[in-house]
Amino acid sequence: MTSSTERRGWLSVLSVALGSFVLVLSEFLPIGLLPAIARGLHVDIGTAGLMVVATGLTGAVAAPVVTVATSRVDRRVVLVALTALLVVADALAAVAPSFWVLLVARMLLGVGIGGFWSIGAGIAGRLVAPSAVIRATSFITAGISVATVVSLPLGAFVSSLASWRLAFVIGGGLGVVALGLQVAMLPRIPATQAVRFATLGGLLRIPRARVGLIAAVFLFVAQFAAYTYVSPYLEEMVRVDADTVTIALLVFGIAGIIGNFAAGWTLSRSVIGTIGVAKAVLAASVVLLPLAAQSVVAVFVLLAVWGFVWGALPLGTQTWMSNASPGSSESGLALFVTTIQLAIAGGSVLGGAAVTSFGLATDFWFSGAVAVVGAVVLVWLGQRRPSSPAVTGGTATTAGPATTAAIRLPGAGDPDPVCTPAP
């Protein structure tokens, strides 16, 4: 591979990574904007939380549907089209005259998210030399992880300075940059296999993959039952002003980025230990937040701890799934994305119901209980090690720890298992 071809390949990876970053950023931006959106569009907080639900449910449906419907289409065309849809969705959200128009915009975004994650996760191998695939994949993964933890503080920061609509303008602007890079840099990426709905359940035939999916459901339900309502908690229970809310959420985000890279070290030693301990700490943090509402310092500490362990958890579940099915195809990724998006939507719905019916404190306690149950289930089921067929591209093969490839995450020590991106 010539230097110019190699450089173009890395610019292509950058365009996909930026697209993934903006999609995740746009999905979670409203969480930091909920109070402002609720006031601006004259709905209550619980109703405003439906924005997260609508995006998650649409993404869950879109992941398999887009994967099957476009399985014979050049992947460059599909990725560019999905990024363009992101730009349209953010533009519509920025000018939405009513909450229901905003919901439509969020559903369009959900289509983009579900399709992009399912297809873009394994695209690095088509863009760079074989020796650079692992590093290129880590760039895409890092973009998703960073977007997950900075979206909430960014939304709150924008809301404190200007209208909540500006956040969607920023998301759309970044989407235009990603779209331009993709149009200019992505080469033709011909489809390699036709995907049918009948093949989408490949991961379910792998016992350890089923455990990973179960663990992911508990994790994302617990996280988003509470995470969706952090800004209302800070405003209504801690009673701090908008500037302090922004600082608190920035602390959460920075801690999450640190946790993401710290997980590179801990996961190389024990995947189940990292996920189990992180879930337990997450549970303790969210349970204690309502009890510590009278102390701003204590709240900041708990948010930092929560952000740190959350930064590690998506990467942990990705690593688990990669170990269970190291050769997973687009069909397998579609199932994983669907599971995550349903869990995000479910967590937001349950959190909204708890807030509306019983108040913010109950929502955080419910979230902690779900996280504890998830940790127990993971440790209990995860310690079983039955030999199982791993489905790779429709062919059953025997998978074990030795089959796991490795990537080096930025700032990590020893190599870690390859991770497929998730929300």
Side-chain angles (χ1 to χ4, degrees), residues 387-409:
S387 59
S388 60
V391 179
T392 304
T395 302
T397 59
T398 300
T403 65
T404 305
I407 69 173
R408 185 176 296 277
L409 293 174

Side-chain angles (χ1 to χ4, degrees), residues 18-33 37 51-52 54-56 82-91 93-94 102 105-110 112-113 117 143-144 146-152 154-155 164 166-176 178 224 341:
L18 182 58
S20 298
F21 171 83
V22 180
L23 279 163
V24 178
L25 186 71
S26 296
E27 179 176 13
F28 297 143
L29 264 178
I31 294 175
L33 299 168
I37 291 174
M51 290 186 299
V52 181
T55 308
L82 292 170
T83 304
L85 185 61
L86 153 72
V87 175
V88 171
D90 276 346
L102 182 57
R106 302 300 295 170
M107 293 173 71
L108 291 176
L109 178 67
I113 289 170
W117 283 353
I144 291 173
V146 172
T148 302
V149 297
V150 304
S151 53
L152 194 153
L154 176 62
W164 56 267
L166 178 60
F168 294 107
V169 173
I170 293 172
L174 291 173
V176 170
F224 285 92
Q341 291 297 321

Side-chain angles (χ1 to χ4, degrees), residues 8 20 34 47 50 59-60 72 104 131 156 177 202 258 262 278 286 288 297 302 326 367 370 373 399 412:
R8 185 183 179 90
S20 298
L34 278 184
T47 301
L50 290 175
R72 297 181 183 273
V104 171
S131 60
V177 175
I258 296 171
V286 297
L288 289 173
V297 173
L302 289 171
S367 174
V370 173
V373 173

Side-chain angles (χ1 to χ4, degrees), residues 68-78 119 189-193:
V68 172
T70 66
S71 65
R72 297 181 183 273
V73 181
D74 188 301
R75 311 330 271 156
R76 175 185 186 273
V77 173
V78 178
I119 294 167
I189 311 173
T192 57
Q193 61 178 351

Side-chain angles (χ1 to χ4, degrees), residues 211-229:
V211 173
L213 291 174
I214 293 170
V217 168
F218 278 104
L219 168 62
F220 281 84
V221 167
Q223 171 68 13
F224 285 92
Y227 185 70
T228 304
Y229 297 97

Side-chain angles (χ1 to χ4, degrees), residues 41-408:
L41 297 180
H42 310 292
V43 296
D44 59 46
I45 287 292
T47 301
L50 290 175
M51 290 186 299
V52 181
V53 179
T55 308
L57 288 178
T58 308
V61 174
V65 171
V66 172
T67 299
V68 172
T70 66
S71 65
R72 297 181 183 273
V73 181
D74 188 301
R75 311 330 271 156
R76 175 185 186 273
V77 173
V78 178
L79 291 175
V80 167
L82 292 170
T83 304
L85 185 61
L86 153 72
V87 175
V88 171
D90 276 346
L92 181 59
V95 299
S98 69
F99 181 71
W100 301 109
V101 174
L102 182 57
L103 275 186
V104 171
R106 302 300 295 170
M107 293 173 71
L108 291 176
L109 178 67
V111 174
I113 289 170
F116 198 98
W117 283 353
S118 297
I119 294 167
I123 208 69
R126 310 284 301 277
L127 300 175
V128 297
S131 60
V133 169
I134 294 168
R135 189 155 54 100
T137 302
S138 74
F139 270 76
I140 297 173
T141 304
I144 291 173
S145 298
V146 172
T148 302
V149 297
V150 304
S151 53
L152 194 153
L154 176 62
F157 176 70
V158 170
S159 179
S160 69
L161 294 179
S163 168
W164 56 267
R165 297 179 187 274
L166 178 60
F168 294 107
V169 173
I170 293 172
L174 291 173
V176 170
V177 175
L179 180 62
L181 276 175
Q182 289 168 12
V183 170
M185 295 300 167
L186 281 178
R188 290 185 66 253
I189 311 173
T192 57
Q193 61 178 351
V195 179
R196 301 185 302 275
F197 283 108
T199 65
L200 291 176
L203 277 179
L204 295 178
R205 295 194 290 271
I206 307 171
R208 288 186 65 77
R210 290 198 299 268
V211 173
L213 291 174
I214 293 170
V217 168
F218 278 104
L219 168 62
F220 281 84
V221 167
Q223 171 68 13
F224 285 92
Y227 185 70
T228 304
Y229 297 97
V230 168
S231 291
Y233 158 79
L234 290 168
E235 290 188 1
E236 297 177 19
M237 294 191 69
V238 186
R239 298 186 182 281
V240 295
D241 58 27
D243 290 339
T244 306
V245 170
T246 301
I247 295 171
L249 297 179
L250 185 62
V251 167
F252 180 96
I254 293 172
I257 295 172
I258 296 171
N260 176 69
F261 292 125
W265 183 81
T266 61
L267 287 168
S268 66
R269 285 149 181 80
S270 174
V271 176
I272 191 172
T274 297
I275 300 175
V277 171
K279 280 189 174 186
V281 174
L282 184 151
S285 300
V286 297
V287 166
L288 289 173
L289 277 170
L291 303 176
Q294 303 305 314
S295 171
V296 175
V297 173
V299 168
F300 267 67
V301 170
L302 289 171
L303 285 174
V305 172
W306 181 12
F308 182 83
V309 295
W310 170 246
L313 280 165
L315 185 57
T317 56
Q318 294 163 19
T319 302
W320 181 286
M321 295 303 299
S322 181
N323 286 346
S325 51
S328 59
S329 63
E330 286 182 4
S331 59
L333 291 172
L335 180 63
F336 190 40
V337 171
T338 294
T339 301
I340 296 302
Q341 291 297 321
L342 286 174
I344 291 173
S348 299
V349 168
L350 294 173
V355 169
T356 302
S357 301
F358 305 105
L360 286 162
T362 300
D363 175 41
F364 281 74
W365 294 333
F366 164 75
S367 174
V370 173
V372 168
V373 173
V376 171
V377 169
L378 174 71
V379 173
W380 176 49
L381 295 178
Q383 289 177 336
R384 301 178 180 180
R385 297 179 180 275
S387 59
S388 60
V391 179
T392 304
T395 302
T397 59
T398 300
T403 65
T404 305
I407 69 173
R408 185 176 296 277

